[in-house]
Amino acid sequence: AELGGEFVEGLLVSSGGDLDKAKSLFAQFGRVWAPVIAGWADWVRTRYQGPTAVVLRDAQPITLTSHAQSWQRVFINRPLLGIRDELSGEDGAYQPPMQAYLASAGIIPAVQFGFVDTGCYGTVLLRLVQLGYRPLPLFFFSKNPAIPSFLGSLGIGSDEGTVLNDSLECAFPHRLRRPVEFCREEVGPRPKLKDSDFLSAMFGEAAMRGLREGLGAVVTRPPAGVAEL
């Protein structure tokens, strides 16, 4: 929360409150993050070549990398799994359609799959294991010593990793609100998606556009890319 406040304050100062300038800044954030996101995707690919799923919303940036084009995209979060979110205060109730939804993405109990997420403690991961799934964590950052992460592979410690993980979220605002329930469709259950607020959607789109441009011109891989942040 503290970093988020500093980020918003800095954005207002840098843009002078001008939306076009702010959009340009977010596009630049995307370009700056490109080498790091590309390095994360390389690390994921090196560690696991089996069926893989990118967890939305947080890991959305990695979906623009070339490796991720064959990976599934799924919404898995605390409320959908019946876990109370301590940060947002949202109460969760396990959604029975979750199993059918995951099955539609090729994720079934007892079969291992790559679980690509920005990560942190692994609470959602543990809940999936309790439900009989076999997720292999491929986190950007982990505070859990039992779970390896991309930043950890670079020798980045918990304090620095926390700042980078929070910065990643600030740089790529969510264009959709976090789904907390499912809706029924002909193809099966799907998370009920709602647009985020106007500014988050606009800035998030600008950041992803900048990231797409940056990934097309990536010549530097971490740790140099991380150092530049």
Side-chain angles (χ1 to χ4, degrees):
E2 182 178 346
L3 179 61
E6 293 176 359
F7 179 85
V8 171
E9 183 178 348
L11 179 66
L12 287 173
V13 171
S14 298
S15 67
D18 185 288
L19 288 182
D20 287 334
K21 288 183 179 179
K23 285 171 61 178
S24 295
L25 285 171
F26 274 99
Q28 180 61 21
F29 296 156
R31 288 189 286 271
V32 169
W33 270 96
V36 181
I37 300 300
W40 178 23
D42 288 345
W43 178 80
V44 168
R45 183 64 176 171
T46 299
R47 288 186 63 85
Y48 188 65
Q49 290 80 47
T52 300
V54 178
V55 180
L56 305 176
R57 303 171 299 169
D58 292 350
Q60 180 76 31
I62 203 174
T63 63
L64 296 186
T65 65
S66 58
H67 291 316
Q69 298 315 300
S70 62
W71 300 344
Q72 295 287 343
R73 283 95 161 121
V74 292
F75 287 93
I76 306 175
N77 59 44
R78 293 185 181 208
L80 290 177
L81 291 172
I83 305 170
R84 176 177 170 77
D85 193 309
E86 297 176 359
L87 293 178
S88 69
E90 290 178 310
D91 285 317
Y94 177 68
Q95 301 290 311
M98 173 64 85
Q99 188 168 17
Y101 167 63
L102 293 179
S104 70
I107 300 172
I108 57 178
V111 176
Q112 188 176 65
F113 70 99
F115 185 90
V116 180
D117 195 8
T118 52
C120 199
Y121 291 103
T123 305
V124 167
L125 198 74
L126 176 59
R127 178 62 173 149
L128 287 172
V129 171
Q130 292 170 341
L131 292 171
Y133 292 94
R134 292 185 58 204
L136 176 69
L138 299 164
F139 284 0
F140 178 73
F141 168 66
S142 173
K143 280 191 173 182
N144 187 332
I147 301 176
S149 70
F150 168 60
L151 291 183
S153 74
L154 299 177
I156 295 174
S158 179
D159 291 344
E160 295 85 356
T162 298
V163 172
L164 283 169
N165 200 42
D166 290 347
S167 298
L168 175 62
E169 184 171 356
C170 289
F172 294 91
H174 298 305
R175 294 173 290 176
L176 294 170
R177 297 186 185 278
R178 178 166 61 173
V180 296
E181 60 183 339
F182 285 91
C183 57
R184 294 284 183 179
E185 297 183 2
E186 289 186 8
V187 295
R190 291 289 181 271
K192 185 178 291 186
L193 301 179
K194 298 178 181 179
D195 291 334
S196 188
D197 62 272
F198 171 73
L199 290 179
S200 293
M202 180 174 63
F203 294 152
E205 185 65 38
M208 291 294 280
R209 184 175 66 252
L211 175 60
R212 188 178 292 107
E213 295 169 357
L215 289 171
V218 166
V219 294
T220 303
R221 287 289 198 269
V226 173
E228 289 173 6
L229 292 172

